[in-house]
Amino acid sequence: MEYSIRNCEITDLPKLVILCQKHAEFEKADFSPEGKLENLQKAIFSENPKLFCLVVAVKETIVGYVSYTFDYSTWDAATFLYMDCLFLEEEARSFGIGEVLIEKLKEIGTQNNCVNIQWQTPEFNERAIKFYNRIGAKGKDKVRFTLTL
């Protein structure tokens, strides 16, 4: 499969919202597209972005994305890269694209003096867990909580 990985562009946002919805469905999470396009535009394309995003394109079609932020670890007393989402359409899986995206994040994290990359995945996503273990990531048994504000 021929593909390219590039920074998300404003024109990618409608498709990005659709991919976010598919990702949420895959993770059995609630998702409403309402306001997402506008809020993602502000987060990614503002003068001081809160969110960064790479997209995977096959010709003119976006088939996946990885989004990330920079955060600070109290225990490490250092910045880390937090991978918020990594999602590929079903037809884009099994071509090594996920591993290429992780390599891109490793480069970005290194360039930004990050000590590590952190992320989470649902326990039922065994395929992803197997992939993350294969690339040398180490999982921690924790429960993530969310308190709606």
Side-chain angles (χ1 to χ4, degrees):
M1 170 180 275
E2 287 190 36
Y3 63 92
S4 62
I5 296 173
R6 58 173 171 74
N7 288 323
C8 180
E9 299 171 357
I10 287 179
T11 55
D12 297 326
L13 290 176
K15 178 65 179 195
L16 182 61
V17 172
I18 292 169
L19 291 175
C20 288
Q21 185 160 11
K22 289 181 177 182
H23 190 183
E25 289 169 5
F26 178 81
E27 293 203 359
K28 303 171 186 167
D30 293 332
F31 184 88
S32 168
E34 187 175 322
K36 297 296 190 291
L37 193 144
E38 297 80 10
N39 290 339
L40 286 171
Q41 183 171 337
K42 288 178 195 169
I44 297 170
F45 299 103
S46 68
E47 188 174 335
N48 296 306
K50 292 181 179 178
L51 179 70
F52 302 88
C53 184
L54 300 174
V55 296
V56 180
V58 174
K59 296 182 180 172
E60 301 301 316
T61 303
I62 306 303
V63 296
Y65 71 102
V66 62
S67 60
Y68 60 96
T69 60
F70 295 100
D71 207 334
Y72 197 82
S73 166
T74 306
W75 287 1
D76 290 324
T79 302
F80 68 93
L81 188 150
Y82 180 76
M83 180 172 66
D84 187 50
C85 293
L86 191 165
F87 181 76
L88 295 169
E89 297 263 31
E90 183 67 38
E91 67 270 16
R93 297 177 192 164
S94 303
F95 292 99
I97 300 171
E99 195 161 348
V100 173
L101 288 170
I102 295 287
E103 286 300 318
K104 293 273 187 195
L105 292 185
K106 288 166 69 176
E107 290 173 22
I108 293 166
T110 300
Q111 291 166 359
N112 287 279
N113 299 314
C114 295
V115 292
N116 58 37
I117 301 171
Q118 299 182 24
W119 67 92
Q120 61 186 350
T121 195
E123 286 184 62
F124 65 79
N125 194 353
E126 294 176 6
R127 184 176 178 180
I129 292 168
K130 185 177 177 183
F131 164 64
Y132 297 142
N133 284 327
R134 184 174 55 78
I135 63 171
K138 297 190 180 349
K140 291 181 178 177
D141 290 329
K142 288 187 169 187
V143 177
R144 181 180 176 120
F145 293 92
T146 301
L147 181 62
T148 302
L149 302 177

